[in-house]
Amino acid sequence: MNNGFVHEEKVNIRLADALNELGLDCRPERVSGRRRPDIRCFHNGLIIGIEASYQAPDAEGDARNRVDQGLVDLAIALQYPIRYRDVAGKELVEQIKRSQFNVKIIVPKYVKMGSLLQFIIQQLGRKKLLTEWFAVDIPTLINVIKYAVEYLIQESEVEEELENTIQVINNFVDSLKNRGVYEGIYEVMYRLYGMQSPRDEELVLAQAALSSLLTATFYEHIRNTHPRLGPLSVYVEKYGAIEGFKRALDELLKIDYREAVRLAREILDRLPSNATGRVRDLIDKGVGIAQNRTFLRRDFAGRVYHRITGDIATRKGFATFYTQVPAAYLLATLAVRALLGLEDEIKRAIDGVGDPEELIRRIKEVKVADLACGSGTRVDCNALPKSPIPNSVPMLCSGEEELRMTMLVKPNAWVVGSGPRAERIIKLRSRLLVPDRVRWNTWRVITVYGDEPLIANRFFMVKLKDENASKEKALVTWLNTTFGLLIILANREETEGALTRLNIGQWRALPILDVSKLSNNRLSVIAGIFDNYANTEFKRIPEQYGDNPDPTRLGFDLEFLMALDPGINEGKSKQCLIELYRRLGIALRTWIDKDA
């Protein structure tokens, strides 16, 4: 407050209240360091930032920064018309509702601003063109935001970009055909992943282009979480497309992500120097996809993949592209190589030397089946031992409803093998397991915790840096609260109806509870909640919510809230949860029934 006037921060809170009252989900943000927008609104899966100020240049600068930082899908710079007097909250909300604001829409560079404004004008029924800054009241502001989101997610834009991307890939393929380049790339694919796709030149070059494009997308998508990584464009401008891309990936490999990027990294070593122009096109397109959050939410990369590769078995490689330890690689390749120490033998076989019969004999020692099924890869769990035997590693095999009834799980199979490198697979084991796919209509819990370290074929094996059991239990607990489920739902990638997926890159990007910031006492309390509910069978997720919520769900969430804030009003919190459950129940039924 200053001389009877309200500070901007308080006005922002009341502006969010006014927007909420008229049906737009908006939340004021008060975060140190100004890393978040003044107000965040959520509509049709997108995040809209509103930067409000008494000074138009300040609002515009902050809005542009939020877009450039990738914190929002679009931003609204909003100038308050007057300095509001310090009055009661409800009265201030009413004043804001009666106000006219100057606003400016800020969008990422890939969005055609002229087309967006024209679309909004048509939807508003106006004849006059919108200027950069234009006046709106609260209802019109809400409509502007909704129409802007509608424009960003319309299918025609996706299809147009899809065709442009496919053309870039085809140009890469055409430029390298009949030059012998594909032989070296095929050898890389076979050596790394055992791919036995047809030795078709066009297909192999298309796979190389896809790998480069998707790796560029992956790099740009995660680099904001690693400050030491610079933009790909900087590397390309300094060193050229091929050399710059290699240097960027080398920096990424110093951090992690070996399984995600090493294919592209080795492919780049096989490309001739005069392919730099086409590689630059792939990088630019990949960066553009990463910057367009609406594309990522709609599995744009997956659609490119399937359009390019056609209906052949090798298209299944896309689902494992981002995984740190892919299911097929772990149980078909890693089990063979790591348990039996066969990497040298496999390389010798590729080179045409060595004893093939001895190689076959040793591979047969591992009782792992890798059977193609549907649109992915799966392991025949029935082919694995059901109890521990010598040289076996405990495993959670499959991941359907029977393994999602409780948070605590036990191994249901054992991988068998022997050899000097068996310890490598042991190092992969973890107790904290997060899924690669979620079936929302049948599962009871999302994240599970092993009663001992396990390997798994339908989960990512997660390890915390200090492997602290209380922190692991706290994280599993949070991910299975309604708040964790909502975060996962908001970032879901739908594959078929109520079946969604999250690749390892998406898991890494989730805004999850930072258990490292919790006190030891609070960690102990939350870990105790896990222990109390570890073997409790929850109802199926849709049955946990609605007008008559599952008492187990309510008790679990309420205990978690009270563990975070012991002074919370239990009665009021319970009522808020019940209202949340009612709304979530409606949303889940609408979504699941629509796709049934």
Side-chain angles (χ1 to χ4, degrees):
M1 189 193 315
N2 184 18
N3 296 326
F5 295 103
V6 183
H7 191 275
E8 285 180 0
E9 183 177 291
K10 186 174 179 181
V11 182
N12 293 342
I13 294 173
R14 299 310 174 193
L15 174 59
D17 290 341
L19 293 168
N20 275 306
E21 287 184 16
L22 294 179
L24 188 64
D25 181 8
C26 295
R27 307 164 198 178
E29 299 287 344
R30 284 184 281 187
V31 180
S32 62
R34 297 282 295 136
R35 278 287 297 166
R36 289 186 181 178
D38 290 341
I39 300 171
R40 287 200 302 171
C41 302
F42 303 85
H43 184 64
N44 279 356
L46 299 191
I47 302 175
I48 304 94
I50 299 178
E51 289 292 342
S53 175
Y54 290 117
Q55 305 296 324
D58 291 345
E60 181 177 355
D62 288 341
R64 197 169 300 282
N65 285 339
R66 301 304 171 256
V67 171
D68 292 343
Q69 291 164 358
L71 298 176
V72 296
D73 297 297
L74 66 98
I76 303 292
L78 183 147
Q79 180 188 19
Y80 289 125
I82 60 172
R83 294 186 65 85
Y84 293 96
R85 290 279 180 182
D86 184 30
V87 295
K90 290 184 178 180
E91 185 177 343
L92 181 55
V93 171
E94 292 304 315
Q95 285 187 30
I96 291 172
K97 286 182 179 179
R98 296 191 297 268
S99 296
Q100 289 269 334
F101 309 96
N102 285 326
V103 298
K104 181 175 182 178
I105 303 172
I106 308 295
V107 293
K109 295 177 181 178
Y110 59 80
V111 177
K112 300 173 183 176
M113 191 63 190
S115 299
L116 169 61
L117 292 177
Q118 184 63 38
F119 179 82
I120 293 174
I121 292 169
Q122 293 174 351
Q123 298 304 310
L124 292 175
R126 293 187 178 184
K127 295 182 179 180
K128 186 178 178 180
L129 292 176
L130 295 179
T131 58
E132 277 199 347
W133 285 87
F134 54 95
V136 296
D137 55 16
I138 290 292
T140 305
L141 174 60
I142 291 175
N143 284 331
V144 166
I145 290 173
K146 289 182 176 179
Y147 294 144
V149 169
E150 182 180 341
Y151 175 85
L152 290 178
I153 65 176
Q154 59 185 336
E155 185 64 21
S156 60
E157 291 290 316
V158 176
E159 281 297 321
E160 179 181 353
E161 187 62 24
L162 181 62
E163 292 300 326
N164 291 338
T165 302
I166 290 171
Q167 186 59 54
V168 169
I169 292 173
N170 287 336
N171 290 343
F172 175 91
V173 173
D174 291 342
S175 69
L176 294 178
K177 284 168 64 174
N178 303 317
R179 297 173 60 182
V181 176
Y182 88 100
E183 290 284 356
I185 296 174
Y186 181 89
E187 187 274 332
V188 169
M189 292 179 178
Y190 183 86
R191 174 169 50 80
L192 291 183
Y193 299 109
M195 291 183 178
Q196 299 190 46
S197 56
R199 296 182 78 94
D200 179 90
E201 181 178 31
E202 186 173 354
L203 174 62
V204 171
L205 292 175
Q207 290 279 5
L210 281 164
S211 179
S212 300
L213 181 144
L214 296 176
T215 301
T217 300
F218 179 73
Y219 178 95
E220 283 293 310
H221 184 59
I222 66 167
R223 73 174 176 83
N224 284 332
T225 63
H226 300 289
R228 63 182 285 186
L229 296 176
L232 271 176
S233 59
V234 173
Y235 286 98
V236 170
E237 289 300 324
K238 187 173 183 179
Y239 301 106
I242 296 177
E243 182 61 26
F245 200 0
K246 289 195 291 187
R247 289 180 181 241
L249 294 185
D250 288 343
E251 289 300 311
L252 182 59
L253 285 167
K254 292 177 183 178
I255 300 172
D256 202 344
Y257 308 106
R258 178 171 178 265
E259 297 301 334
V261 304
R262 65 172 180 167
L263 175 60
R265 178 61 183 83
E266 294 206 25
I267 285 173
L268 290 170
D269 283 334
R270 302 304 194 279
L271 297 180
S273 59
N274 57 7
T276 188
R278 296 307 183 191
V279 174
R280 174 67 180 264
D281 293 340
L282 291 171
I283 292 172
D284 290 345
K285 189 60 66 176
V287 170
I289 294 171
Q291 292 172 343
N292 192 327
R293 292 158 61 107
T294 60
F295 286 174
L296 292 177
R297 292 180 190 275
R298 304 182 73 182
D299 191 24
F300 182 84
R303 292 167 71 170
V304 172
Y305 186 94
H306 292 290
R307 285 280 293 271
I308 286 291
T309 56
D311 189 20
I312 54 176
T314 51
R315 72 177 58 174
K316 295 177 181 146
F318 178 72
T320 62
F321 179 80
Y322 291 103
T323 57
Q324 191 170 29
V325 187
Y329 182 80
L330 173 66
L331 293 166
T333 305
L334 185 59
V336 171
R337 297 186 186 193
L339 287 173
L340 302 182
L342 296 180
E343 290 195 317
D344 292 338
E345 287 88 338
I346 291 173
K347 181 65 169 65
R348 284 163 59 82
I350 293 174
D351 295 337
V353 298
D355 186 349
E357 292 186 2
E358 174 64 10
L359 178 62
I360 293 171
R361 183 192 68 77
R362 296 188 64 192
I363 290 175
K364 286 182 177 179
E365 291 180 21
V366 180
K367 300 189 182 303
V368 176
D370 181 23
L371 305 178
C373 177
S375 62
T377 53
R378 65 175 294 182
V379 173
D380 182 4
C381 298
N382 294 325
L384 299 176
K386 301 303 179 186
S387 58
I389 60 176
N391 300 314
S392 64
V393 178
M395 173 185 177
L396 193 66
C397 194
S398 185
E400 296 310 314
E401 184 176 6
E402 70 275 7
L403 298 180
R404 308 301 183 102
M405 303 180 80
T406 63
M407 292 189 291
L408 186 67
V409 294
K410 298 180 179 181
N412 63 346
W414 274 259
V415 177
V416 185
S418 61
R421 300 186 185 177
E423 64 272 10
R424 287 179 56 188
I425 200 168
I426 295 175
K427 292 180 181 179
L428 296 172
R429 296 186 299 168
S430 173
R431 299 181 73 177
L432 175 52
L433 306 173
V434 299
D436 62 345
R437 293 171 185 262
V438 179
R439 190 172 291 280
W440 293 93
N441 57 342
T442 61
W443 288 7
R444 321 298 184 88
V445 297
I446 300 296
T447 306
V448 296
Y449 191 71
D451 67 348
E452 63 178 304
L454 306 166
I455 63 171
N457 67 320
R458 297 303 301 272
F459 296 84
F460 299 113
M461 293 159 284
V462 178
K463 289 187 177 183
L464 303 184
K465 291 182 179 179
D466 56 2
E467 298 190 38
N468 180 291
S470 292
K471 291 180 181 179
E472 292 173 346
K473 290 180 179 180
L475 192 53
V476 173
T477 302
W478 183 82
L479 286 169
N480 282 307
T481 63
T482 297
F483 321 110
L485 266 62
L486 286 171
I487 289 292
I488 297 170
L489 268 172
N491 291 274
R492 71 187 185 273
E493 183 179 314
E494 295 185 28
T495 57
E496 179 186 353
L499 179 65
T500 65
R501 70 181 177 189
L502 282 92
N503 59 51
I504 195 63
Q506 290 167 317
W507 273 110
R508 289 180 182 274
L510 288 184
I512 65 172
L513 177 69
D514 188 351
V515 294
S516 67
K517 300 292 179 62
L518 298 178
S519 67
N520 290 335
N521 180 62
R522 195 151 293 173
L523 278 174
S524 178
V525 174
I526 298 175
I529 295 173
F530 173 86
D531 292 334
N532 292 338
Y533 285 86
N535 291 301
T536 300
E537 288 192 11
F538 287 78
K539 292 183 179 180
R540 289 179 172 178
I541 290 174
E543 298 170 9
Q544 296 175 23
Y545 302 100
D547 293 331
N548 298 297
D550 180 14
T552 301
R553 163 55 62 192
L554 180 58
F556 182 68
D557 285 345
L558 193 57
E559 287 186 39
F560 179 79
L561 287 177
M562 295 180 68
L564 285 183
D565 185 0
I568 197 170
N569 185 312
E570 182 176 353
K572 186 175 181 180
S573 299
K574 184 176 180 180
Q575 291 302 314
C576 289
L577 285 173
I578 290 173
E579 175 60 20
L580 173 62
Y581 295 167
R582 185 186 66 81
R583 297 187 182 190
L584 183 54
I586 294 172
L588 284 171
R589 286 194 299 274
T590 301
W591 171 44
I592 292 172
D593 291 346
K594 173 177 68 69
D595 294 304

